[in-house]
């Protein structure tokens, strides 16, 4: 259900185990118990510039708007009298763990208060040296991370209950290597660290503990939220301008005046602090887009990382143009077919730890346009529309030689020159598409047609389309049970009614939701690559519902995508590198987080990682 925040835009969002706190652009602080059905907001304070709450919810601090003083409150009650203790003057940001407060002062210095509790919500502040001016800190269970004004991420080494201030700052190399530009960071439950970047992407790391504050992962895992959360792809400043539009409408004031007032309020203190738009507790991951709305993910979330693979014997700068995965001719795993151009071909087994590609000789003077492969053959289509087949076997997995296929039957049957533009190998069947959008079906993957009773090629009626729109490519699943196609307007179509008795199917159905430049099909699902590099997965495909229910984006941007029969994705990145998708599941049920070291978990996508708008 749609549910907006309590005030005028959301500047800051903080969650404890029982409550959610929300600070709007006017400085009003609201609180609600965590929703079972809906949120019931109650106004808590006015004139607040920033606030923080400890993970347990026992400690609450606020920074006052006009004075920049930090106040601490113990025994937080929603109703009744509250007593605020002055904790520290000249402050811009505070982060609370269950017994410490890390405070950024107006001059950029960092201070720490320790030994805090309900009865002693603030204490004496001690300065902690830091070589960079900071804009944010987050602290939990003796782990401390900080975000600098230049968007660098630091973590504190040596923090423990005996030494709460820790020993030294370390720059996080992982974030630098991934060129992450965080807007806000927070430590979550189950030893996780979360970041939201300037593009509105959400990332997490796991195994973040005081002995190893940088965590177990040598990269950030990205979670897809863009399907559900529309972030302003811009800085806080523009977000504020956006927010002023809603404020101005409410106040019937000219937008520029309100914007100017807000700007003055924000920048009079040289305030560099970014808003906190992210909170994580045991009930979910909470996000605000800076507008007046929340999003929460309560289920399992799948983190994605595209791992750059450099095959043995190739240089790291090698630019690949094409990758195709097929069932390996040997007993297990998959084969990857790689090209740098249309004049070369390499193959490699994904089970081979050496990962050394072997070169496959192409027929002389042939420029291949596309390939398709199955367990016992790879088919190639050249620019003239000629088809070449290479038989694969366990004893010779890369094949021995190419056989040119006699296509005379296509031309004879239709009294005109038929030129093929696309091929798709299933397990037993081959599908093809020609320049005018005609679709052909063939039994048998080998050069000789094993079923001599059937004509080699059967023509299938293409879908009924407006004039000038034709099918341009066909895509088959490795088990012959799915056939999908793309037309000249990038629309996606699925062949319905495919059964063992009726392998050609009965009809076409348009699959709405996106324009695809390429499809990759495993034994159970379909992945699409869009012309801008976005990737989406089709959910809900069954025998009775071959078109599935909906598309969902997954993180990444690629120029070429392929999938193994077991749903392992491989791709060519926009810069020409070979990429393998690794995934990690973050689950809110504590037992599931004890995952092994292996990152490639098959079928993790069965966890539906939905975001709900409250």
């Amino acid at each position: 259900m749609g549910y907006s925040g309590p005030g005028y835009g959301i500047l800051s969002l903080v969650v404890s185990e029982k409550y959610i706190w929300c600070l709007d652009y006017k400085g009003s602080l609201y609180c609600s118990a965590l929703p079972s059905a809906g949120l019931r907001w109650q106004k808590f304070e006015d004139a607040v510039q920033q606030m923080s709450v400890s993970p347990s919810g026992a400690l609450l601090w606020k920074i006052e708007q006009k004075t920049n003083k930090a106040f601490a409150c113990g025994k937080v009650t929603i109703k009744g009298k509250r007593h605020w203790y002055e904790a520290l003057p000249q402050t811009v940001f505070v982060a609370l763990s269950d017994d410490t407060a890390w405070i950024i002062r107006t001059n950029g210095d960092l201070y720490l208060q320790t030994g805090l509790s309900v009865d002693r919500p603030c204490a004496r502040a001690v300065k902690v040296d830091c070589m960079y001016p900071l804009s944010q800190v987050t602290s939990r269970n003796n782990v401390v991370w900080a975000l600098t004004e230049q968007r660098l991420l630091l973590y504190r080494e040596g923090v423990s209950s005996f030494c709460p201030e820790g020993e030294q700052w370390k720059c996080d190399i992982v974030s630098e290597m991934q060129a992450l530009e965080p807007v806000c960071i927070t430590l979550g439950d189950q030893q996780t660290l979360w970041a939201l970047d300037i593009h509105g992407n959400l990332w997490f790391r796991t195994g973040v503990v005081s002995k190893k504050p940088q965590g177990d992962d040598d990269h950030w895992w990205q979670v897809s939220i863009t399907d559900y959360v529309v972030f302003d792809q811009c800085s806080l400043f523009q977000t504020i301008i956006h927010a002023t539009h809603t404020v101005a409408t409410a106040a019937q004031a000219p937008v520029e005046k309100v914007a100017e007032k807000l700007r003055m309020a924000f920048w009079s203190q040289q305030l560099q602090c970014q808003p906190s738009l992210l909170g994580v507790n045991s009930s979910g991951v909470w996000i605000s887009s800076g507008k007046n709305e929340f999003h929460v993910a309560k289920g399992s979330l799948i983190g994605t990382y595209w791992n750059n693979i450099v095959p043995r014997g190739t240089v790291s700068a090698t630019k690949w143009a094409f990758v195709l995965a097929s069932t390996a001719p040997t007993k297990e795993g998959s084969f990857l077919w790689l090209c740098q151009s249309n004049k070369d071909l390499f193959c490699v087994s994904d089970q081979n730890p050496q990962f050394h590609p072997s070169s496959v000789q192409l027929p002389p003077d042939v420029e291949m346009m596309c390939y398709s492969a199955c367990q016992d053959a790879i088919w190639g289509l050249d620019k003239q529309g000629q088809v070449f087949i290479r038989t694969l076997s366990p004893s010779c997995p890369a094949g021995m030689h190419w056989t040119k296929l006699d296509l005379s039957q296509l031309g004879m049957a239709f009294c005109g020159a038929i030129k093929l533009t696309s091929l798709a190998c299933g397990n037993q069947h081959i599908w093809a598409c020609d320049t005018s959008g005609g679709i052909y079906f063939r039994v048998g993957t080998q050069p000789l047609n094993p079923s001599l009773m059937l004509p080699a090629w059967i023509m299938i009626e293409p879908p009924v389309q407006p004039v000038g729109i034709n099918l341009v490519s066909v895509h088959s699943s490795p088990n012959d049970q799915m056939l999908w196609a793309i037309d000249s307007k990038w629309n996606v179509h699925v062949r319905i009614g495919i059964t063992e008795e009726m392998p050609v199917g009965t009809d076409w159905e348009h699959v709405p939701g996106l324009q695809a430049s390429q499809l990759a099909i495993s034994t159970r699902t379909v992945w699409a690559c869009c012309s801008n590099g976005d990737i989406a997965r089709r959910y809900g495909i069954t025998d009775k519902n071959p078109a599935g229910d909906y598309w969902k984006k997954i993180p990444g941007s690629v120029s070429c995508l392929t999938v193994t029969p077991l749903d392992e994705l491989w791709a060519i990145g926009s810069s020409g590198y070979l990429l393998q998708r690794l995934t990690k599941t973050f689950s809110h049920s504590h037992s599931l987080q004890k995952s092994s070291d292996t990152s490639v978990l098959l079928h993790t996508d069965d966890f539906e990682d939905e975001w709900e708008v409250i």
Side-chain angles (χ1 to χ4, degrees):
M1 81 182 163
Y3 197 98
S4 55
Y8 293 110
I10 293 163
L11 175 66
S12 206
L13 160 81
V14 183
V15 291
S16 66
E17 280 311 309
K18 294 197 178 71
Y19 292 95
I20 178 163
W21 300 83
C22 177
L23 178 62
D24 75 6
Y25 286 95
K26 283 189 159 179
S28 302
L29 178 60
Y30 298 86
C31 174
S32 166
L34 285 182
S36 45
L39 294 165
R40 291 206 177 90
W41 292 109
Q42 299 188 358
K43 197 164 192 184
F44 195 83
E45 283 290 313
D46 273 318
V48 178
Q49 179 176 296
Q50 194 251 334
M51 53 84 57
S52 179
V53 63
S54 60
S56 68
L59 301 174
L60 176 72
W61 280 42
K62 69 169 181 179
I63 295 173
E64 266 190 350
Q65 257 180 351
K66 293 195 174 69
T67 63
N68 280 98
K69 286 178 178 170
F71 291 89
C73 174
K75 300 191 173 65
V76 182
T77 54
I78 303 300
K79 293 191 171 71
K81 280 236 183 280
R82 287 185 284 281
H83 188 73
W84 291 99
Y85 300 88
E86 188 173 327
L88 206 62
Q90 292 163 341
T91 57
V92 287
F93 192 89
V94 61
L96 295 174
S97 76
D98 280 328
D99 57 0
T100 62
W102 290 81
I103 307 131
I104 302 171
R105 308 289 296 272
T106 42
N107 63 359
D109 287 347
L110 182 65
Y111 280 77
L112 170 66
Q113 295 189 8
T114 60
L116 308 185
S117 65
V118 174
D119 303 316
R120 186 176 179 249
C122 55
R124 193 173 66 86
V126 182
K127 189 177 175 198
V128 178
D129 282 328
C130 185
M131 58 285 205
Y132 300 98
L134 299 180
S135 70
Q136 265 195 19
V137 194
T138 177
S139 159
R140 185 170 182 150
N141 296 339
N142 296 317
V143 177
V144 179
W145 278 71
L147 177 63
T148 73
E149 288 176 5
Q150 306 303 310
R151 303 201 195 288
L152 277 177
L153 280 174
L154 315 173
Y155 56 86
R156 191 88 179 142
E157 286 193 327
V159 178
S160 68
S161 43
F162 305 111
C163 179
E165 73 278 11
E167 289 156 12
Q168 61 174 344
W169 291 104
K170 274 282 180 75
C171 278
D172 180 47
I173 301 163
V174 170
S175 304
E176 279 187 51
M177 283 174 52
Q178 271 180 271
L180 194 73
E181 296 185 76
V183 175
C184 49
I185 53 170
T186 188
L187 288 156
D189 65 330
Q190 299 181 58
Q191 304 166 353
T192 53
L193 171 70
W194 298 78
L196 197 59
D197 73 13
I198 56 170
H199 307 294
N201 298 320
L202 177 64
W203 307 78
F204 71 85
R205 304 250 289 268
T206 61
V208 178
V209 293
S210 63
K211 283 202 171 74
K212 195 181 179 187
Q214 69 272 39
D216 293 334
D217 305 314
D218 53 4
H219 51 255
W220 285 90
W221 298 97
Q222 189 184 345
V223 176
S224 183
I225 51 176
T226 43
D227 287 7
Y228 306 102
V229 185
V230 181
F231 278 87
D232 298 318
Q233 305 263 321
C234 59
S235 65
L236 162 67
F237 193 71
Q238 283 156 297
T239 312
I240 288 169
I241 301 297
H242 264 285
T244 59
H245 282 267
T246 49
V247 178
T249 325
Q252 303 287 298
V255 170
E256 285 69 29
K257 267 190 184 169
V258 182
E260 198 47 48
K261 270 187 187 165
L262 272 170
R263 240 182 257 150
M264 293 310 294
F266 270 88
W267 272 272
S268 58
Q269 316 290 343
Q270 298 97 50
L271 174 62
Q272 292 294 312
C273 288
Q274 295 287 359
S276 307
L277 302 176
L278 182 61
V280 182
N281 62 6
S282 59
S283 71
V285 178
W286 302 76
I287 283 191
S288 159
S289 58
K291 297 200 177 88
N292 199 21
E293 58 193 13
F294 285 109
H295 306 261
V296 58
K298 294 184 176 179
S300 299
L301 292 180
I302 292 158
T304 293
Y305 176 69
W306 288 93
N307 193 22
N308 183 6
I309 301 278
V310 180
R312 279 275 165 93
T314 65
V315 292
S316 59
T318 303
K319 297 273 193 278
W320 301 100
F322 174 80
V323 61
L324 169 70
S326 65
T327 309
T330 47
K331 280 201 179 115
E332 49 194 38
S334 299
F335 253 43
L336 296 179
W337 304 88
L338 292 159
C339 305
Q340 293 173 33
S341 72
N342 50 20
K343 293 184 176 175
D344 62 61
L345 179 65
F346 300 88
C347 76
V348 62
S349 162
D350 71 350
Q351 301 291 302
N352 173 6
Q354 293 303 308
F355 211 78
H356 206 298
S358 49
S359 182
V360 178
Q361 197 72 38
L362 289 180
D365 305 325
V366 160
E367 281 194 51
M368 288 295 190
M369 199 169 68
C370 72
Y371 294 98
S372 185
C374 56
Q375 191 160 10
D376 60 6
I378 178 165
W379 286 50
L381 179 64
D382 78 356
K383 291 195 166 173
Q384 271 65 53
Q386 304 180 102
V387 174
F388 297 88
I389 304 169
R390 193 174 177 93
T391 301
L392 315 176
S393 65
S395 57
C396 191
M400 289 289 281
H401 53 262
W402 295 93
T403 304
K404 189 174 163 187
L405 187 66
D406 178 10
L407 290 175
S408 59
Q409 188 218 350
L410 291 177
M412 279 164 51
F414 309 109
C415 307
I418 301 290
K419 186 179 169 190
L420 298 182
T421 58
S422 167
L423 285 174
C425 295
N427 182 33
Q428 303 290 326
H429 308 145
I430 306 292
W431 294 83
C433 176
D434 71 13
T435 44
S436 57
I439 297 292
Y440 307 91
F441 169 87
R442 180 188 195 268
V443 174
T445 59
Q446 295 304 314
L448 293 169
N449 187 15
S451 172
L452 296 172
M453 305 294 288
L454 277 171
W457 293 95
I458 300 168
M459 190 176 184
I460 308 290
E461 280 296 308
V464 179
Q465 298 259 76
V467 176
I469 301 178
N470 295 327
L471 294 187
V472 292
S473 66
V474 281
H475 308 266
S476 169
S477 66
N479 57 4
D480 294 314
Q481 287 170 17
M482 290 189 263
L483 181 77
W484 289 55
I486 297 174
D487 68 25
S488 48
K489 287 273 192 242
W490 308 121
N491 295 313
V492 179
H493 305 266
V494 62
R495 185 79 181 156
I496 58 175
I498 293 178
T499 58
E500 296 230 352
E501 300 75 43
M502 190 68 179
V504 296
T506 54
D507 204 357
W508 293 97
E509 190 177 309
H510 172 235
V511 181
L514 57 70
Q515 257 79 32
S517 57
Q518 193 199 350
L519 297 174
I521 308 186
S522 68
T523 44
R524 41 183 226 124
T525 194
V526 174
W527 306 80
C529 178
C530 305
S531 53
N532 65 356
D534 282 353
I535 310 164
R537 178 186 164 166
R538 187 76 180 169
Y539 279 87
I541 295 172
T542 60
D543 293 347
K544 292 189 175 64
N545 182 20
D549 298 320
Y550 60 94
W551 294 103
K552 198 158 127 203
K553 266 173 73 169
I554 66 162
S557 178
V558 302
S559 63
C560 173
L561 183 72
T562 186
V563 64
T564 69
L566 295 175
D567 274 315
E568 285 177 341
L569 288 184
W570 291 81
I572 307 296
S574 42
S575 50
Y577 297 128
L578 176 64
L579 305 173
Q580 178 190 23
R581 184 182 76 138
L582 306 179
T583 60
K584 187 160 212 168
T585 303
F586 170 78
S587 165
H588 285 291
S589 59
H590 290 263
S591 58
L592 263 169
Q593 200 47 35
K594 308 268 187 291
S595 70
S596 61
D597 288 344
T598 164
S599 292
V600 183
L601 297 171
L602 294 186
H603 305 335
T604 44
D605 286 323
D606 288 345
F607 293 110
E608 269 294 87
D609 49 329
E610 292 302 325
W611 291 87
E612 37 182 311
V613 181
I614 297 180

